[in-house]
């Protein structure tokens, strides 16, 4: 038995480089395959060699199948991610774009922010609408969003600067300017329609 172990060790030592190949390592990690190899080393008959060869070919085919399926899964997942990203980018929700063709109110302005609502109500005291006597102007103002009305009131009734309004509404001065401009454009458009 000691002589047999020595013969097997010598074989593995001489073929160390091949034995360390990952495919051969995985082949030898199976106890049945290791037994066939040891048997072929100790009794190098054609039948024993053929049994090792057939077992290795079967093992190699399985590895190739696993590798092939693994690659399929990998590339399919990449392709799926690309399609999903392309689809998501195709149907982006753009809140800064005008709701109607005329531009005017954006989807972002229509979304009410309840967290700021109480604070905004405190800021808006004497309402802009309370000071308007012209019926056409009043109706035009009522078509504006709450935020647009509040900005107009803060500018024209409270006499606040764009920067001060931006701080109170927790936004940028540029956004306040845009909302102010859109409110005035909408008023202008509505009043012109009624004047015609």
């Amino acid at each position: 038995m000691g002589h047999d172990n020595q013969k097997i060790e010598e074989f593995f030592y001489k073929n160390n480089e091949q034995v360390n190949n990952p495919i051969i390592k995985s082949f030898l990690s199976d106890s049945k395959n290791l037994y066939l190899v040891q048997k072929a080393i100790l009794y190098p008959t054609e039948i024993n060699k053929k049994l090792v060869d057939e077992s290795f070919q079967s093992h190699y085919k399985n590895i190739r199948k696993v590798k092939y399926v693994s690659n399929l899964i990998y590339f399919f997942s990449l392709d799926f991610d690309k399609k999903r990203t392309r689809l998501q980018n195709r149907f982006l929700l753009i809140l800064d774009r005008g709701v109607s063709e005329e531009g005017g109110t954006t989807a972002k302005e229509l979304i009410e922010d309840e967290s700021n609502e109480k604070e905004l109500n405190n800021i808006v005291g004497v309402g802009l609408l309370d000071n308007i006597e012209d019926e056409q102007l009043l109706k035009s103002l009522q078509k504006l969003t709450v935020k647009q009305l509040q900005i107009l009131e803060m500018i024209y009734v409270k006499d606040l600067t764009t920067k001060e309004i931006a701080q109170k509404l927790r936004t940028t001065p540029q956004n306040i300017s845009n909302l102010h401009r859109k409110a005035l454009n909408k008023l202008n458009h509505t009043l012109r329609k009624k004047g015609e």
Side-chain angles (χ1 to χ4, degrees), residues 38-147:
Q38 288 173 342
K39 193 174 172 185
I41 292 168
L42 296 174
Y43 311 103
T45 64
E46 287 301 315
I47 294 170
N48 287 343
K49 288 178 184 177
K50 188 177 179 185
L51 287 172
V52 170
D53 191 43
E54 286 173 358
S55 185
F56 182 77
Q57 284 180 16
S58 172
H59 176 75
Y60 186 70
K61 282 179 186 175
N62 285 338
I63 284 178
R64 289 192 58 179
K65 284 178 191 173
V66 168
K67 178 76 174 156
Y68 177 74
V69 170
S70 175
N71 282 341
L72 273 180
I73 291 169
Y74 174 74
F75 289 112
F76 178 79
S77 67
L78 285 180
D79 190 44
F80 177 78
D81 283 343
K82 285 178 187 174
K83 285 179 183 176
R84 196 165 140 248
T85 303
R86 198 172 31 230
L87 210 89
Q88 283 176 335
N89 289 340
R90 191 177 299 159
F91 300 109
L92 286 176
L93 175 62
I94 301 172
L95 298 175
D96 290 336
R97 196 174 286 157
V99 176
S100 64
E101 288 179 22
E102 302 158 2
T105 308
T106 64
K108 187 177 178 181
E109 293 166 20
L110 294 175
I111 299 171
E112 291 189 32
D113 185 1
E114 292 177 20
S115 64
N116 286 343
E117 204 168 299
K118 287 179 184 174
E119 189 177 323
L120 289 173
N121 288 337
N122 293 337
I123 295 168
V124 181
V126 177
L128 178 67
L129 299 176
D130 298 336
N131 294 322
I132 306 297
E133 292 178 12
D134 185 293
E135 201 171 308
Q136 278 190 323
L137 181 57
L138 184 63
K139 285 180 181 176
S140 297
L141 283 167
Q142 288 171 338
K143 290 186 178 181
L144 297 177
T145 65
V146 174
K147 201 166 219 165

Side-chain angles (χ1 to χ4, degrees), residues 2 29 88 98 104 106 149 153:
S29 67
Q88 283 176 335
T106 64
L149 274 173
E153 183 176 325

